[in-house]
Amino acid sequence: MHRERLGRLLLAGVVLMAGCGEADGAEQAETSGPAGEWRTAGCEFSRVPQHATMGGTRMLVTPAPLGAAIGRIDQGGRQRFPESYAGVEVDQLHVRAIVYRVPSEAFDAFLRETARDVCLVVRDAAHGVEELATWHDRIVADLPHWAGAGVRIVTVGSRHDGAGVEIGTRDIDRARRELSGRYGPEAPLVFVEEGPVTPLTSMRTIESGSGD
């Protein structure tokens, strides 16, 4: 298998399409949401989704202030807090970003400062980009071994939510058994059935996010 078929999915390149609608109402900052989640002060204010018409189709777009905040978070997370930062989603419908991170007081303080007046929903993650990058590189280096063993790995990519390194394969049961045997049952690996190989983007965009 050619290594160029592998994608480094540090931030998943998935676009979920949905109809247009109004943003949810004001949300309580810092205290709302399930355990392991908090929100910045910008979530207290009502936010109206923005649209653009391209080729006759009306589409949701990311407002410039939110896009700029996401850029600052991704750069700062990777450069300064790679052990905590896992990834980010942009929820255009609700005009907010969802940041995944291993809990860290220093990184949370960075997020509050960086958010300014935009809405960030901050959620717990199991692993940061630094740890997952190490696992990603180790598995990619072992691809000749797996090819020789008859375990076909089609894609390898770190999950933007910090859940683990995603392994795309046609035989999930065998891949899970063999890779867990080599790397140990605690290795942060997520197995999925392979799909079509498509180019990966650097950000996950959610247009149908819930109001959670």
Side-chain angles (χ1 to χ4, degrees):
M1 177 181 55
H2 298 293
R3 288 178 59 164
E4 58 266 25
R5 297 188 66 197
L6 300 173
R8 186 160 189 163
L9 191 58
L10 291 175
L11 298 176
V14 177
V15 178
L16 305 181
M17 303 303 296
C20 300
E22 294 302 313
D24 53 340
E27 302 170 50
Q28 184 179 0
E30 298 289 344
T31 58
S32 61
E37 176 183 298
W38 61 271
R39 305 181 183 201
T40 59
C43 297
E44 294 179 346
F45 305 101
S46 295
R47 303 174 304 282
V48 178
Q50 294 187 9
H51 302 82
T53 300
M54 293 178 283
T57 301
R58 190 168 182 258
M59 302 178 63
L60 286 161
V61 296
T62 303
L66 179 59
I70 290 171
R72 294 191 299 269
I73 290 166
D74 190 57
Q75 181 178 28
R78 294 181 186 282
Q79 294 180 355
R80 297 172 53 191
F81 305 96
E83 72 288 346
S84 179
Y85 176 65
V88 62
E89 300 172 0
V90 56
D91 180 351
Q92 293 173 331
L93 181 61
H94 297 100
V95 197
R96 65 187 184 180
I98 302 171
V99 182
Y100 295 88
R101 83 333 177 205
V102 178
S104 161
E105 291 185 5
F107 186 50
D108 283 0
F110 167 78
L111 291 175
R112 291 186 180 93
E113 178 181 358
T114 302
R116 299 177 185 173
D117 59 351
V118 305
C119 176
L120 301 181
V121 178
V122 184
R123 294 178 179 169
D124 285 356
H127 311 278
V129 294
E130 185 174 59
E131 179 185 2
L132 294 185
T134 299
W135 279 104
H136 174 280
D137 293 347
R138 179 178 177 184
I139 293 167
V140 169
D142 284 348
L143 286 176
H145 166 81
W146 294 120
V151 179
R152 185 181 180 190
I153 296 175
V154 179
T155 58
V156 180
S158 299
R159 288 271 296 265
H160 78 284
D161 59 1
V165 175
E166 190 170 285
I167 309 295
T169 177
R170 291 186 177 179
D171 190 343
I172 293 178
D173 291 339
R174 183 181 178 190
R176 180 182 291 112
R177 182 174 62 252
E178 302 251 1
L179 270 69
S180 296
R182 182 175 179 89
Y183 304 120
E186 301 304 317
L189 305 179
V190 179
F191 297 90
V192 297
E193 188 172 357
E194 77 160 328
V197 178
T198 57
L200 300 175
T201 60
S202 61
M203 187 177 300
R204 185 183 183 198
T205 301
I206 289 190
E207 296 182 356
S208 59
S210 68
D212 293 340

